[in-house]
Amino acid sequence: MKQNGGGAIANMVSMVARVNLPFNGSYGASKAAVLSLTQAVRAELAAQKTLVLAVLPGAIDIGMGKSFPVRLKYLQKK
């Protein structure tokens, strides 16, 4: 990208990086780390005209929550 005069990087994160959910501590921490890395790299590459973005999609029901009944019950209250 430096040789081409810039570019863009998009990292997929998750809203869990900013919204704490019970029983998701390790998942949330890993997503917060990716968000922090994105912000650091954005600052480092700004002078090289490289855009660095984080995409934080919300919850999508794909059935995984059914294996975690306590977590699912909490999410249904929200």
Side-chain angles (χ1 to χ4, degrees):
M1 281 191 251
K2 186 176 181 179
Q3 292 172 344
N4 291 329
I9 299 170
N11 291 329
M12 293 297 294
V13 187
S14 170
M15 282 303 296
V16 178
R18 296 202 182 232
V19 178
N20 297 311
L21 294 177
F23 314 105
N24 268 323
S26 58
Y27 181 75
S30 69
K31 296 305 176 181
V34 174
L35 181 58
S36 181
L37 175 66
T38 301
Q39 293 166 339
V41 172
R42 177 185 301 136
E44 293 170 11
L45 299 181
Q48 298 176 19
K49 297 183 180 177
T50 299
L51 179 64
V52 184
L53 304 170
V55 180
L56 286 72
I60 300 169
D61 183 8
I62 58 172
M64 287 176 56
K66 293 178 182 161
S67 63
F68 303 100
V70 175
R71 183 184 310 159
L72 184 61
K73 191 177 285 187
Y74 174 83
L75 291 172
Q76 289 171 340
K77 291 180 185 178
K78 291 268 174 185

Coordinates of all heavy atoms in Angstrom, one line a residue:
M1 N 0.8 -1.2 0.0 CA 0.0 0.0 0.0 C 0.9 1.3 0.0 O 0.5 2.2 -0.6 CB -0.9 0.0 1.2 CG -2.1 -0.9 1.1 SD -3.3 -0.6 2.3 CE -3.1 -2.2 3.2
K2 N 2.0 1.2 0.7 CA 2.9 2.3 0.7 C 3.4 2.6 -0.7 O 3.4 3.8 -1.1 CB 4.0 2.1 1.7 CG 4.9 3.2 1.9 CD 6.0 2.9 2.9 CE 6.9 4.1 3.2 NZ 7.9 3.8 4.2
Q3 N 3.7 1.6 -1.4 CA 4.2 1.8 -2.8 C 3.1 2.4 -3.7 O 3.4 3.1 -4.7 CB 4.7 0.5 -3.4 CG 6.0 0.0 -2.7 CD 6.4 -1.4 -3.1 OE1 5.6 -2.1 -3.7 NE2 7.6 -1.8 -2.8
N4 N 1.9 2.0 -3.4 CA 0.7 2.5 -4.2 C 0.2 3.8 -3.8 O -0.8 4.3 -4.3 CB -0.4 1.5 -4.2 CG 0.0 0.2 -5.0 OD1 0.8 0.3 -5.9 ND2 -0.5 -0.9 -4.5
G5 N 0.8 4.4 -2.8 CA 0.3 5.7 -2.3 C -0.9 5.7 -1.3 O -1.6 6.7 -1.2
G6 N -1.1 4.6 -0.8 CA -2.2 4.5 0.2 C -3.1 3.3 0.0 O -2.9 2.5 -0.9
G7 N -4.2 3.2 0.7 CA -5.1 2.1 0.6 C -6.1 2.1 1.8 O -6.2 3.1 2.5
A8 N -6.7 1.0 2.0 CA -7.6 0.8 3.1 C -7.6 -0.6 3.7 O -7.3 -1.6 3.0 CB -9.1 1.1 2.6
I9 N -7.7 -0.6 5.0 CA -7.8 -1.9 5.8 C -9.1 -1.8 6.6 O -9.4 -0.8 7.3 CB -6.6 -2.0 6.7 CG1 -5.3 -2.0 5.9 CG2 -6.7 -3.2 7.6 CD1 -4.0 -1.9 6.8
A10 N -9.9 -2.9 6.5 CA -11.1 -3.0 7.3 C -11.0 -4.2 8.2 O -10.8 -5.3 7.7 CB -12.3 -3.1 6.4
N11 N -11.1 -4.0 9.5 CA -11.1 -5.2 10.4 C -12.5 -5.4 11.0 O -13.2 -4.5 11.4 CB -10.2 -4.8 11.6 CG -8.7 -4.8 11.3 OD1 -8.3 -5.5 10.4 ND2 -8.0 -4.0 11.9
M12 N -12.9 -6.7 10.9 CA -14.2 -7.0 11.5 C -14.1 -7.3 12.9 O -13.2 -8.1 13.4 CB -14.8 -8.3 10.8 CG -15.1 -8.2 9.3 SD -16.4 -7.0 9.1 CE -17.8 -7.8 9.8
V13 N -14.8 -6.6 13.7 CA -14.7 -6.7 15.2 C -16.0 -7.3 15.7 O -16.4 -8.4 15.3 CB -14.4 -5.3 15.8 CG1 -14.1 -5.4 17.3 CG2 -13.2 -4.7 15.1
S14 N -16.8 -6.6 16.5 CA -18.1 -6.9 17.0 C -18.5 -5.9 18.0 O -17.7 -5.2 18.6 CB -18.0 -8.3 17.8 OG -19.2 -8.5 18.5
M15 N -19.8 -5.7 18.1 CA -20.3 -4.7 19.1 C -19.9 -5.2 20.6 O -19.8 -4.3 21.5 CB -21.8 -4.6 19.1 CG -22.3 -3.7 17.9 SD -21.6 -2.0 17.9 CE -22.3 -1.4 19.4
V16 N -19.6 -6.4 20.7 CA -19.2 -6.9 22.0 C -17.8 -6.3 22.5 O -17.5 -6.3 23.7 CB -19.1 -8.5 22.0 CG1 -18.6 -9.0 23.4 CG2 -20.4 -9.0 21.7
A17 N -17.1 -5.7 21.6 CA -15.9 -4.9 22.0 C -16.3 -3.7 22.8 O -15.4 -3.3 23.6 CB -15.2 -4.5 20.7
R18 N -17.5 -3.2 22.7 CA -17.9 -2.0 23.5 C -19.0 -2.3 24.4 O -19.3 -1.5 25.3 CB -18.3 -0.9 22.5 CG -17.2 -0.5 21.6 CD -17.5 0.9 21.1 NE -16.4 1.3 20.3 CZ -15.7 2.4 20.4 NH1 -16.1 3.3 21.3 NH2 -14.8 2.7 19.6
V19 N -19.8 -3.4 24.2 CA -21.0 -3.7 25.1 C -20.7 -5.0 25.8 O -20.5 -6.0 25.2 CB -22.2 -3.9 24.2 CG1 -23.4 -4.2 25.1 CG2 -22.5 -2.6 23.4
N20 N -20.6 -4.9 27.1 CA -20.3 -6.1 27.9 C -21.5 -7.0 28.1 O -22.6 -6.5 28.4 CB -19.8 -5.6 29.3 CG -18.5 -4.9 29.2 OD1 -17.6 -5.3 28.5 ND2 -18.5 -3.7 29.8
L21 N -21.3 -8.2 27.8 CA -22.4 -9.2 28.0 C -21.9 -10.3 29.0 O -20.7 -10.7 28.9 CB -22.7 -9.9 26.7 CG -23.3 -9.1 25.6 CD1 -23.5 -9.9 24.3 CD2 -24.7 -8.5 26.1
P22 N -22.7 -10.7 29.9 CA -22.3 -11.8 30.8 C -21.9 -13.0 30.1 O -22.5 -13.3 29.0 CB -23.5 -12.0 31.7 CG -24.6 -11.1 31.3 CD -24.1 -10.3 30.1
F23 N -21.0 -13.8 30.6 CA -20.6 -15.0 30.1 C -19.9 -14.9 28.7 O -19.8 -15.9 28.0 CB -21.8 -16.0 30.0 CG -22.6 -16.1 31.2 CD1 -23.9 -15.5 31.2 CD2 -22.2 -16.7 32.3 CE1 -24.7 -15.5 32.3 CE2 -23.0 -16.7 33.5 CZ -24.2 -16.1 33.5
N24 N -19.4 -13.7 28.4 CA -18.7 -13.5 27.2 C -17.4 -12.7 27.4 O -16.9 -12.0 26.5 CB -19.6 -12.6 26.2 CG -20.4 -13.4 25.3 OD1 -19.9 -14.5 24.8 ND2 -21.6 -13.0 25.1
G25 N -16.8 -12.8 28.6 CA -15.6 -12.1 28.9 C -14.4 -12.3 28.0 O -13.9 -11.3 27.5
S26 N -14.1 -13.5 27.7 CA -12.9 -13.7 26.9 C -13.2 -13.3 25.4 O -12.3 -12.8 24.8 CB -12.5 -15.2 26.9 OG -13.6 -16.0 26.5
Y27 N -14.4 -13.5 24.9 CA -14.8 -13.1 23.6 C -14.7 -11.6 23.5 O -14.2 -11.0 22.6 CB -16.2 -13.6 23.2 CG -16.6 -13.3 21.8 CD1 -16.1 -13.9 20.7 CD2 -17.6 -12.3 21.6 CE1 -16.5 -13.6 19.4 CE2 -18.0 -11.9 20.4 CZ -17.4 -12.6 19.3 OH -17.8 -12.2 18.0
G28 N -15.3 -10.9 24.5 CA -15.3 -9.4 24.5 C -13.9 -8.9 24.6 O -13.6 -7.9 23.9
A29 N -13.1 -9.5 25.4 CA -11.7 -9.0 25.5 C -10.9 -9.2 24.2 O -10.2 -8.3 23.8 CB -11.0 -9.8 26.6
S30 N -11.2 -10.3 23.5 CA -10.4 -10.5 22.2 C -10.9 -9.4 21.2 O -10.1 -8.9 20.4 CB -10.6 -11.9 21.7 OG -12.0 -12.1 21.3
K31 N -12.2 -9.1 21.2 CA -12.7 -8.2 20.2 C -12.3 -6.7 20.6 O -12.0 -5.9 19.7 CB -14.2 -8.2 20.2 CG -14.8 -9.6 19.6 CD -14.1 -9.9 18.3 CE -14.6 -11.2 17.8 NZ -14.0 -11.6 16.5
A32 N -12.2 -6.4 21.9 CA -11.7 -5.1 22.3 C -10.2 -5.0 21.9 O -9.8 -3.9 21.5 CB -11.8 -5.0 23.8
A33 N -9.4 -6.1 21.9 CA -8.0 -6.0 21.5 C -7.9 -5.7 20.0 O -7.1 -4.9 19.6 CB -7.4 -7.4 21.9
V34 N -8.8 -6.3 19.2 CA -8.8 -6.1 17.8 C -9.1 -4.6 17.5 O -8.5 -3.9 16.7 CB -9.7 -7.0 17.0 CG1 -9.8 -6.6 15.5 CG2 -9.2 -8.4 17.1
L35 N -10.1 -4.1 18.3 CA -10.5 -2.7 18.1 C -9.3 -1.7 18.5 O -9.0 -0.8 17.8 CB -11.7 -2.3 19.0 CG -12.2 -0.9 18.9 CD1 -12.6 -0.5 17.5 CD2 -13.4 -0.8 19.8
S36 N -8.6 -2.1 19.6 CA -7.5 -1.3 20.0 C -6.4 -1.3 19.0 O -5.7 -0.3 18.7 CB -7.0 -1.8 21.4 OG -5.9 -1.0 21.8
L37 N -6.1 -2.5 18.5 CA -5.1 -2.7 17.4 C -5.4 -1.8 16.2 O -4.6 -1.2 15.6 CB -4.9 -4.1 17.0 CG -4.0 -4.4 15.9 CD1 -2.5 -4.1 16.3 CD2 -4.1 -5.9 15.5
T38 N -6.7 -1.9 15.8 CA -7.2 -1.1 14.7 C -6.9 0.4 14.9 O -6.4 1.1 14.0 CB -8.7 -1.3 14.4 OG1 -8.9 -2.7 14.2 CG2 -9.2 -0.5 13.2
Q39 N -7.2 0.9 16.1 CA -7.0 2.3 16.4 C -5.5 2.7 16.3 O -5.1 3.7 15.8 CB -7.6 2.7 17.7 CG -9.1 2.6 17.6 CD -9.7 2.6 19.0 OE1 -9.1 2.3 20.0 NE2 -11.0 2.9 19.1
A40 N -4.6 1.8 16.8 CA -3.2 2.0 16.8 C -2.6 2.0 15.4 O -1.8 2.9 15.0 CB -2.5 1.0 17.7
V41 N -3.0 1.1 14.6 CA -2.5 1.0 13.2 C -3.1 2.2 12.4 O -2.4 2.7 11.6 CB -3.0 -0.4 12.6 CG1 -2.6 -0.4 11.1 CG2 -2.3 -1.5 13.3
R42 N -4.3 2.6 12.7 CA -4.8 3.8 12.0 C -3.9 5.0 12.3 O -3.6 5.7 11.3 CB -6.2 4.1 12.6 CG -6.8 5.4 12.0 CD -8.2 5.8 12.6 NE -9.1 4.7 12.4 CZ -9.9 4.3 13.4 NH1 -9.9 4.8 14.6 NH2 -10.8 3.3 13.1
A43 N -3.5 5.2 13.5 CA -2.6 6.3 13.8 C -1.3 6.2 13.1 O -0.7 7.2 12.7 CB -2.5 6.4 15.3
E44 N -0.7 5.0 13.1 CA 0.6 4.7 12.5 C 0.6 4.9 11.0 O 1.6 5.4 10.4 CB 1.0 3.3 12.8 CG 1.3 3.0 14.3 CD 1.5 1.6 14.6 OE1 1.7 0.8 13.7 OE2 1.5 1.2 15.8
L45 N -0.5 4.6 10.3 CA -0.5 4.6 8.9 C -1.2 5.9 8.3 O -1.3 6.0 7.1 CB -1.2 3.4 8.3 CG -0.6 2.0 8.7 CD1 -1.3 0.9 8.0 CD2 0.9 2.0 8.2
A46 N -1.7 6.7 9.1 CA -2.4 7.9 8.6 C -1.5 8.8 7.7 O -2.0 9.3 6.7 CB -2.9 8.8 9.8
A47 N -0.3 8.9 8.1 CA 0.7 9.7 7.2 C 0.9 9.1 5.9 O 1.3 9.8 4.9 CB 2.0 9.9 8.0
Q48 N 0.7 7.8 5.8 CA 0.9 7.1 4.5 C -0.4 7.0 3.7 O -0.5 6.2 2.7 CB 1.4 5.7 4.7 CG 2.7 5.6 5.4 CD 3.2 4.2 5.8 OE1 2.7 3.2 5.2 NE2 4.1 4.1 6.7
K49 N -1.4 7.8 4.1 CA -2.7 7.8 3.4 C -3.4 6.5 3.3 O -4.0 6.1 2.3 CB -2.6 8.4 2.0 CG -2.1 9.9 2.0 CD -2.0 10.4 0.6 CE -1.5 11.9 0.7 NZ -1.4 12.5 -0.6
T50 N -3.3 5.7 4.4 CA -4.0 4.4 4.5 C -5.1 4.5 5.5 O -4.8 4.9 6.7 CB -3.0 3.3 4.9 OG1 -2.0 3.2 3.9 CG2 -3.7 2.0 5.0
L51 N -6.3 4.3 5.1 CA -7.5 4.3 5.9 C -7.6 3.0 6.6 O -7.6 1.9 6.0 CB -8.7 4.6 5.1 CG -10.0 4.7 5.8 CD1 -10.1 5.8 6.7 CD2 -11.1 4.8 4.7
V52 N -7.8 3.0 8.0 CA -7.9 1.8 8.7 C -9.2 1.9 9.5 O -9.4 2.8 10.3 CB -6.7 1.6 9.7 CG1 -6.9 0.2 10.4 CG2 -5.4 1.6 8.9
L53 N -10.1 1.0 9.2 CA -11.5 1.0 9.8 C -11.8 -0.2 10.6 O -11.3 -1.3 10.3 CB -12.5 1.1 8.7 CG -12.4 2.3 7.7 CD1 -13.4 2.1 6.6 CD2 -12.7 3.6 8.5
A54 N -12.7 -0.1 11.6 CA -13.2 -1.2 12.3 C -14.7 -1.3 12.1 O -15.4 -0.3 12.2 CB -12.9 -1.0 13.8
V55 N -15.2 -2.4 11.7 CA -16.6 -2.7 11.5 C -17.1 -3.4 12.7 O -16.6 -4.5 13.0 CB -16.8 -3.5 10.2 CG1 -18.3 -3.7 9.9 CG2 -16.2 -2.7 9.0
L56 N -18.1 -2.9 13.4 CA -18.7 -3.5 14.6 C -20.1 -3.9 14.4 O -21.0 -3.2 14.8 CB -18.6 -2.5 15.8 CG -17.2 -2.3 16.4 CD1 -16.3 -1.5 15.5 CD2 -17.3 -1.7 17.7
P57 N -20.4 -5.1 13.7 CA -21.7 -5.5 13.5 C -22.4 -5.9 14.9 O -21.7 -6.3 15.8 CB -21.6 -6.7 12.6 CG -20.2 -7.2 12.8 CD -19.4 -6.0 13.2
G58 N -23.7 -5.8 14.9 CA -24.5 -6.2 16.1 C -24.7 -7.7 16.0 O -24.2 -8.5 15.2
A59 N -25.6 -8.2 16.9 CA -25.9 -9.6 17.1 C -26.7 -10.1 15.8 O -27.5 -9.5 15.3 CB -26.7 -9.8 18.3
I60 N -26.3 -11.3 15.5 CA -27.0 -12.0 14.4 C -27.4 -13.4 14.9 O -26.5 -14.1 15.4 CB -26.1 -12.2 13.1 CG1 -25.7 -10.8 12.6 CG2 -26.8 -13.0 12.1 CD1 -24.6 -10.9 11.6
D61 N -28.7 -13.8 14.9 CA -29.1 -15.0 15.4 C -28.8 -16.1 14.4 O -29.5 -16.3 13.4 CB -30.6 -15.0 15.7 CG -31.1 -16.3 16.3 OD1 -30.2 -17.2 16.7 OD2 -32.3 -16.4 16.5
I62 N -27.8 -16.9 14.6 CA -27.4 -18.0 13.8 C -27.5 -19.4 14.5 O -27.1 -20.4 14.0 CB -26.0 -17.9 13.2 CG1 -24.9 -17.8 14.3 CG2 -25.9 -16.7 12.2 CD1 -23.5 -17.8 13.7
G63 N -28.2 -19.3 15.7 CA -28.4 -20.5 16.4 C -27.4 -20.9 17.4 O -27.6 -21.8 18.2
M64 N -26.2 -20.3 17.4 CA -25.1 -20.6 18.3 C -25.6 -20.4 19.8 O -25.1 -21.1 20.7 CB -23.9 -19.8 18.1 CG -23.2 -20.3 16.8 SD -21.7 -19.2 16.4 CE -20.8 -19.3 17.9
G65 N -26.4 -19.4 20.0 CA -26.8 -19.1 21.4 C -27.6 -20.2 22.1 O -27.7 -20.2 23.3
K66 N -28.2 -21.0 21.3 CA -29.0 -22.1 21.9 C -28.2 -23.1 22.7 O -28.8 -23.8 23.6 CB -29.8 -22.8 20.7 CG -30.8 -21.9 20.1 CD -31.5 -22.6 18.9 CE -32.5 -21.6 18.3 NZ -32.9 -21.9 17.0
S67 N -26.9 -23.2 22.5 CA -26.1 -24.1 23.3 C -25.7 -23.4 24.6 O -25.1 -24.0 25.4 CB -24.9 -24.5 22.5 OG -24.1 -23.4 22.2
F68 N -26.1 -22.1 24.8 CA -25.7 -21.4 26.0 C -27.0 -20.8 26.6 O -27.3 -19.7 26.4 CB -24.8 -20.3 25.7 CG -23.5 -20.8 25.1 CD1 -23.3 -20.6 23.7 CD2 -22.5 -21.3 25.8 CE1 -22.1 -21.1 23.1 CE2 -21.3 -21.8 25.2 CZ -21.1 -21.6 23.9
P69 N -27.9 -21.7 27.2 CA -29.2 -21.2 27.7 C -29.2 -20.0 28.6 O -30.0 -19.1 28.5 CB -29.8 -22.4 28.4 CG -28.7 -23.5 28.4 CD -27.6 -23.0 27.6
V70 N -28.2 -19.9 29.5 CA -28.2 -18.7 30.4 C -27.9 -17.4 29.6 O -28.6 -16.4 29.8 CB -27.1 -18.9 31.5 CG1 -27.0 -17.7 32.4 CG2 -27.4 -20.2 32.3
R71 N -27.0 -17.5 28.7 CA -26.6 -16.3 27.9 C -27.8 -16.0 27.0 O -28.2 -14.8 26.9 CB -25.4 -16.6 27.0 CG -25.0 -15.5 26.2 CD -23.8 -15.8 25.3 NE -22.7 -16.4 25.9 CZ -21.8 -17.2 25.3 NH1 -21.9 -17.4 24.0 NH2 -20.9 -17.8 26.0
L72 N -28.4 -16.9 26.4 CA -29.6 -16.7 25.5 C -30.7 -16.0 26.3 O -31.3 -15.1 25.8 CB -30.1 -18.0 24.9 CG -31.2 -17.9 23.9 CD1 -30.8 -17.0 22.7 CD2 -31.6 -19.3 23.4
K73 N -31.0 -16.5 27.5 CA -32.0 -16.0 28.3 C -31.7 -14.5 28.6 O -32.6 -13.6 28.6 CB -32.2 -16.7 29.6 CG -33.4 -16.4 30.5 CD -33.5 -17.3 31.7 CE -34.0 -18.6 31.3 NZ -34.2 -19.5 32.5
Y74 N -30.5 -14.2 28.9 CA -30.1 -12.8 29.2 C -30.3 -11.9 28.0 O -30.8 -10.8 28.0 CB -28.6 -12.7 29.6 CG -28.1 -11.3 29.8 CD1 -28.3 -10.6 30.9 CD2 -27.4 -10.7 28.7 CE1 -27.9 -9.3 31.0 CE2 -27.0 -9.4 28.9 CZ -27.2 -8.7 30.0 OH -26.8 -7.4 30.1
L75 N -29.9 -12.4 26.8 CA -30.0 -11.6 25.6 C -31.5 -11.4 25.2 O -31.8 -10.4 24.6 CB -29.3 -12.3 24.4 CG -27.8 -12.3 24.5 CD1 -27.2 -13.2 23.4 CD2 -27.2 -10.9 24.5
Q76 N -32.3 -12.3 25.5 CA -33.7 -12.2 25.1 C -34.4 -11.1 26.0 O -35.4 -10.5 25.6 CB -34.5 -13.5 25.3 CG -34.1 -14.5 24.3 CD -34.7 -15.9 24.6 OE1 -35.0 -16.3 25.7 NE2 -34.7 -16.7 23.5
K77 N -33.9 -10.8 27.2 CA -34.4 -9.7 28.0 C -34.1 -8.4 27.5 O -34.7 -7.4 27.8 CB -33.9 -9.9 29.4 CG -34.4 -11.1 30.2 CD -33.8 -11.2 31.6 CE -34.2 -12.4 32.3 NZ -33.6 -12.5 33.6
K78 N -33.0 -8.3 26.7 CA -32.6 -7.0 26.2 C -33.5 -6.4 25.1 O -34.1 -7.0 24.4 CB -31.2 -7.1 25.6 CG -30.1 -7.3 26.6 CD -29.6 -6.0 27.0 CE -28.6 -6.2 28.2 NZ -28.1 -5.0 28.7

